Amino acid sequence: MTETTLLFRDDAYLSTAEARVIGVNDRGGILLDRSIFYATGGGQPGDTGTLEREDGSMIQIATTVYGDSKSEIVHVPAEGSALPAPGETLVQHIDWTTRHRHMRIHTGLHLLTVALPFPVSGGRVGADEGHLDFDIDGAVPAKEAIEERLNALAAADHPVSTEWITDEELLANPGLVKTMSVMPPMGSGRVRLVRIGDIDLQPCGGTHVQSTAEIGPLVVAKIENKGKQNRRVRIRFA
Ligand SMILES: [Zn+2]
């Protein structure tokens, strides 16, 4: 097993960084000592981008996934790409336009859990839209009311920050977990919390913008009935 330093977790705004190749796995996935590429997880797609070699040639990265553990990041090259040699130094570039849209939608979904305070059973982040599945027993507030509250929360420009707690502290505070079906990754001894001003605090390993005004105006595109109490709420950039 190899370990990657997860640069994206401490600084979601890194769009380029140097790294050393520590291996190529048996499926041709590239392992680096440090990575700015977010790996598919928590409903957010893995980053795409390029790895720039010393001779100036580029390796296209089609997606990024976790390997054998949550500390191994696998950069999946586009089919037919040349592969780097272990020990080689290269420069990572992520597709920043797409990643930044993921960060805006993802942070918008945190605000949606404030605008619509019901338990969450699933979700998905995209570059144009995202959704959360809520467990709502009874009437669902009107689309327009949710949208108005959501945009007011974003426009209030709350700062977004991260902090860490131990597994034990999380277990002692189950109210922190809004997602019923997806418990945050535990077992490494600590869990990352994402705080939005004084309005939201929840465990999350994703990438976020640093203040909510950066999300920009959103619309609640659709509320779908996905089962007994399951209501899927879709948000989109206005
Ligand atoms: Zn998050």
Side-chain angles (χ1 to χ4, degrees):
M1 196 186 78
T2 49
E3 289 230 341
T4 313
T5 301
L6 311 184
L7 297 178
F8 62 82
R9 200 165 57 183
D10 292 323
D11 185 357
Y13 285 83
L14 284 175
S15 62
T16 181
E18 216 174 71
R20 197 169 48 80
V21 178
I22 52 176
V24 175
N25 72 17
D26 49 11
R27 282 160 296 159
I30 300 165
L31 311 174
L32 304 174
D33 63 341
R34 54 215 292 266
S35 183
I36 57 172
F37 285 74
Y38 181 80
T40 305
Q44 185 174 325
D47 282 330
T48 57
T50 53
L51 300 178
E52 181 184 355
R53 305 178 77 180
E54 266 169 2
D55 66 2
S57 66
M58 297 283 190
I59 300 169
Q60 296 291 329
I61 298 302
T63 189
T64 309
V65 296
Y66 285 105
D68 294 336
S69 76
K70 287 278 184 189
S71 55
E72 184 178 285
I73 303 281
V74 180
H75 307 80
V76 181
E79 226 169 291
S81 297
L83 293 172
E88 196 175 320
T89 298
L90 33 73
V91 181
Q92 319 168 63
H93 304 278
I94 56 169
D95 174 354
W96 174 250
T97 305
T98 302
R99 156 67 95 67
H100 190 236
R101 292 173 76 86
H102 288 163
M103 287 160 58
R104 290 165 62 204
I105 289 283
H106 183 122
T107 312
L109 291 175
H110 279 248
L111 294 184
L112 184 60
T113 69
V114 180
L116 200 55
F118 292 93
V120 174
S121 58
R124 176 104 197 123
V125 174
D128 299 308
E129 63 153 54
H131 72 250
L132 288 177
D133 289 333
F134 290 91
D135 187 39
I136 302 177
D137 182 14
V140 182
K143 219 169 74 166
E144 295 70 24
I146 302 169
E147 188 176 298
E148 194 181 324
R149 176 110 177 89
L150 186 62
N151 282 310
L153 290 167
D157 205 11
H158 295 285
V160 181
S161 59
T162 59
E163 54 205 77
W164 293 86
I165 60 169
T166 64
D167 288 1
E168 293 71 32
E169 285 169 314
L170 181 70
L171 290 169
N173 293 279
L176 283 174
V177 182
K178 292 185 175 183
T179 49
M180 299 180 301
S181 58
V182 202
M183 268 303 277
M186 284 195 292
S188 68
R190 58 180 204 154
V191 175
R192 190 177 78 155
L193 299 179
V194 173
R195 183 184 291 278
I196 302 184
D198 57 359
I199 58 170
D200 189 44
L201 179 67
Q202 56 180 296
C204 188
T207 55
H208 310 84
V209 293
Q210 56 198 354
S211 71
T212 60
E214 200 172 316
I215 297 169
L218 296 168
V219 291
V220 174
K222 215 177 195 181
I223 301 178
E224 295 165 275
N225 197 336
K226 288 281 175 186
K228 209 163 144 244
Q229 297 181 12
N230 187 359
R231 302 292 175 265
R232 177 166 295 175
V233 180
R234 292 185 183 278
I235 62 169
R236 194 175 289 163
F237 292 122

